[in-house]
């Protein structure tokens, strides 16, 4: 399974963009990159996923480098409610989600 | 969006007893469900993959006789922790795959907090 590496924690000012990086240098050509987040004591929430192209939805944007070895999740205007642990996951062939340690994002007023 | 529920949301049981946790997909049929466990300050750990009508596939190191998984219908999977001990106290989370949303989409339940005394 492709491994992902994320910084353990990040801070962001409310209203500013939060850019969360993820390294996945061993990703295979047909493996997707998924982002989930988990607010304390809740189940993970799906954010976005992508294969090669950049993706955007109502929650966030996902920027994947051309060589696919890294990606960045962008929350364009972070709010206090975006404080959570963000997980970058490369989904394996069997469709399993193997969670790493994630990045604990703290949005501060 | 797809909704997954879990019941109960929290449970306290005595050591040596068994406890059953239900995971339901409310507005879609889930051919595959997954069970995770999460200890405090740690990430989610995948325990098993449950396919409707067949035996669950357990991850390495997970005792299948202790964590019984049944996926008898397309909307319900259950996890039974048998002969629970204090070290089984954890946050148990299920997820379900909606095949109509794409084979890789998974939706998570809110979790069940188990405390064994």
């Amino acid at each position: 399974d492709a491994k992902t590496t994320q910084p353990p924690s990040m801070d962001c000012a409310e209203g500013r963009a939060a850019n969360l990086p993820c390294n996945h240098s061993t990703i295979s050509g047909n493996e997707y990159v998924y982002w989930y987040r988990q607010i304390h004591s809740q189940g993970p929430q799906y954010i976005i996923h992508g294969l090669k192209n950049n993706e955007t939805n109502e929650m966030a944007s996902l920027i994947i480098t051309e060589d696919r070895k890294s990606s960045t999740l962008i929350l364009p205007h972070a709010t206090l409610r975006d404080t959570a642990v963000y997980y970058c996951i490369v989904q394996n062939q069997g469709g399993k989600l193997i969670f790493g340690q994630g990045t604990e994002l703290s949005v501060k007023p | 969006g797809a909704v997954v529920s879990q019941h109960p949301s929290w449970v306290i049981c005595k050591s040596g007893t068994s406890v059953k946790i239900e995971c339901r997909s409310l507005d879609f049929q889930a051919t595959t469900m997954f069970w995770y466990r999460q200890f405090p300050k740690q990430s989610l750990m995948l325990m098993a993959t449950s396919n409707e009508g067949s035996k669950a596939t357990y991850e390495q190191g997970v005792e299948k006789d202790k964590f019984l998984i049944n996926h008898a219908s397309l909307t319900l999977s259950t996890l039974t922790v048998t002969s629970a001990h204090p070290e089984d106290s954890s946050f148990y989370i299920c997820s379900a795959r909606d095949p109509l949303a794409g084979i890789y989409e998974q939706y998570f339940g809110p979790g069940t907090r188990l405390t064994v005394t």
Side-chain angles (χ1 to χ4, degrees):
Chain A
D1 297 335
K3 181 179 170 57
T4 62
T5 305
Q6 299 177 253
S9 63
M10 290 182 64
D11 290 340
C12 177
E14 187 178 19
R16 304 298 292 269
N19 297 281
L20 292 89
C22 178
N23 286 320
H24 32 78
S25 58
T26 60
I27 192 170
S28 298
N30 55 356
E31 289 180 320
Y32 283 76
V33 178
Y34 273 75
W35 283 83
Y36 283 80
R37 72 180 182 184
Q38 186 179 27
I39 296 171
H40 183 62
S41 295
Q42 297 182 24
Q45 176 189 21
Y46 165 82
I47 301 174
I48 200 167
H49 74 280
L51 182 63
K52 295 180 182 178
N53 300 320
N54 298 337
E55 302 287 345
T56 295
N57 63 20
E58 64 277 6
M59 287 184 68
S61 295
L62 174 60
I63 309 298
I64 302 174
T65 57
E66 194 169 339
D67 62 9
R68 303 213 321 125
K69 292 185 177 181
S70 65
S71 61
T72 300
L73 177 74
I74 301 173
L75 307 179
H77 305 287
T79 71
L80 298 179
R81 290 180 295 179
D82 292 322
T83 292
V85 179
Y86 287 76
Y87 295 99
C88 167
I89 304 166
V90 173
Q91 192 165 44
N92 71 9
Q93 298 301 315
K96 298 179 187 178
L97 295 176
I98 306 300
F99 285 76
Q101 293 306 307
T103 295
E104 187 167 7
L105 175 68
S106 296
V107 180
K108 300 181 184 299
Chain B
V3 179
V4 175
S5 70
Q6 285 185 238
H7 178 80
S9 55
W10 59 270
V11 58
I12 301 172
C13 72
K14 292 187 176 181
S15 187
T17 62
S18 296
V19 61
K20 180 185 286 188
I21 301 170
E22 293 184 348
C23 176
R24 293 183 185 272
S25 56
L26 297 186
D27 51 1
F28 65 99
Q29 294 185 325
T31 53
T32 304
M33 290 183 172
F34 302 86
W35 287 96
Y36 297 80
R37 180 168 55 180
Q38 185 175 33
F39 293 108
K41 302 285 187 183
Q42 295 187 23
S43 186
L44 284 78
M45 185 194 80
L46 179 64
M47 299 175 67
T49 302
S50 167
N51 291 299
E52 186 266 338
S54 63
K55 290 184 179 180
T57 303
Y58 291 82
E59 295 299 305
Q60 192 172 7
V62 177
E63 300 174 60
K64 62 180 180 181
D65 294 330
K66 181 170 184 60
F67 298 100
L68 302 179
I69 293 172
N70 183 280
H71 192 162
S73 79
L74 287 172
T75 59
L76 174 64
S77 176
T78 60
L79 168 68
T80 301
V81 183
T82 63
S83 186
H85 290 285
E87 57 265 30
D88 298 322
S89 298
S90 188
F91 192 49
Y92 292 88
I93 307 169
C94 73
S95 70
R97 181 185 290 162
D98 180 357
L100 297 181
I103 63 171
Y104 300 121
E105 298 289 334
Q106 285 188 35
Y107 302 94
F108 284 81
T112 296
R113 187 160 302 282
L114 169 64
T115 302
V116 184
T117 61

